Amino acid sequence: EAGVAQSPRYKIIEKRQSVAFWCNPISGHATLYWYQQILGQGPKLLIQFQNNGVVDDSQLPKDRFSAERLKGVDSTLKIQPAKLEDSAVYLCASSGITGITAEQYFGPGTRLTVT
Amino acid sequence: ILNVEQSPQSLHVQEGDSTNFTCSFPSSNFYALHWYRWETAKSPEALFVMTLNGDEKKKGRISATLNTKEGYSYLYIKGSQPEDSATYLCAFPNYGGSQGNLIFGKGTKLSVKP
């Protein structure tokens, strides 16, 4: 079974530029998560999709971040414009079920550096 | 806001040493606790999901215990090997697990020296 795919793996941009990350979850997984992991911190949920609907985006900085999952499969996370504090690893995860024991399957992440 | 604490932040051991680290979480309204391992440049992978007080799970040389009454879980690695070098994350379901998303601790970074 193919894992969660993410691209690009690394990205360096200047502040105020825009950037987009792509995620393709495990086939058949209805739930997709985007996490932000800043150095020295644990991953923090940005947004959760169930199929193509948003379940939780309470911690997404909506003035600059946006995400979509139009066909309920792959997803794009965008930052526009980027700030220095957006430097982080952006992880995508998917799961086939929801609930307290639901295992999340992660992609390798995109490491973003904003200069 | 739920808080998940992990200690120590980092740990350096010699190959063959056994080691353990701690995850602390709110003991009230416990639902489940997840452990993940994240090797550098790889994807985080699930180790254990624990739900019952007194639960003990094992995978090879790695085991975990759970105390829901006092709000902690221990992860043990017996006879550490260089390939065990990774960041070990614990996570607690948010919103009572109804939506499936997780609140992660900051992790314990383990380095095993050959």
Side-chain angles (χ1 to χ4, degrees):
Chain A
E1 168 179 83
V4 176
Q6 288 189 249
S7 67
R9 292 293 308 273
Y10 305 92
K11 189 76 177 178
I12 300 174
I13 62 172
E14 294 182 351
K15 60 183 179 183
R16 291 188 288 273
Q17 286 188 321
S18 302
V19 64
F21 314 128
W22 175 82
C23 172
N24 192 29
I26 291 173
S27 177
H29 280 192
T31 309
L32 185 147
Y33 311 83
W34 282 102
Y35 289 91
Q36 178 193 57
Q37 194 254 337
I38 293 172
L39 188 65
Q41 304 290 319
K44 181 185 83 171
L45 180 76
L46 291 175
I47 189 165
Q48 176 185 349
F49 291 96
Q50 181 76 14
N51 296 307
N52 60 353
V54 175
V55 174
D56 186 353
D57 63 357
S58 56
Q59 297 191 91
L60 187 74
K62 298 180 185 65
D63 57 334
R64 298 183 300 105
F65 285 65
S66 63
E68 59 183 16
R69 194 184 183 198
L70 291 174
K71 296 182 181 177
V73 181
D74 56 352
S75 176
T76 303
L77 177 71
K78 294 179 182 176
I79 308 175
Q80 181 179 12
K83 292 186 176 181
L84 295 176
E85 59 260 37
D86 298 331
S87 294
V89 175
Y90 290 85
L91 290 165
C92 178
S94 69
S95 62
I97 57 173
T98 56
I100 61 172
T101 61
E103 180 179 333
Q104 296 184 21
Y105 296 82
F106 284 85
T110 296
R111 183 176 294 278
L112 174 68
T113 303
V114 182
T115 62
Chain B
I1 297 177
L2 291 173
N3 206 25
V4 179
E5 300 283 345
Q6 290 189 251
S7 63
Q9 273 193 313
S10 64
L11 202 49
H12 298 263
V13 302
Q14 289 290 132
E15 182 175 354
D17 288 350
S18 293
T19 187
N20 66 85
F21 21 94
T22 307
C23 173
S24 301
F25 51 84
S27 56
S28 58
N29 297 321
F30 176 82
Y31 303 106
L33 191 82
H34 297 241
W35 281 100
Y36 283 81
R37 174 171 60 195
W38 190 2
E39 293 180 63
T40 302
K42 293 188 178 180
S43 307
E45 59 172 356
L47 284 174
F48 307 114
V49 180
M50 309 182 79
T51 56
L52 299 175
N53 185 44
D55 223 359
E56 183 169 342
K57 300 255 177 160
K58 192 172 180 182
K59 186 182 282 191
R61 293 177 293 96
I62 303 176
S63 60
T65 60
L66 179 68
N67 184 324
T68 61
K69 296 187 188 307
E70 296 183 34
Y72 65 83
S73 175
Y74 292 141
L75 191 81
Y76 299 92
I77 303 179
K78 185 177 177 182
S80 303
Q81 299 296 308
E83 59 263 32
D84 297 327
S85 297
T87 296
Y88 291 83
L89 296 162
C90 68
F92 196 82
N94 201 5
Y95 304 114
S98 60
Q99 295 170 6
N101 64 64
L102 298 171
I103 295 175
F104 283 87
K106 294 180 181 180
T108 292
K109 186 171 184 178
L110 175 67
S111 299
V112 183
K113 196 172 181 181

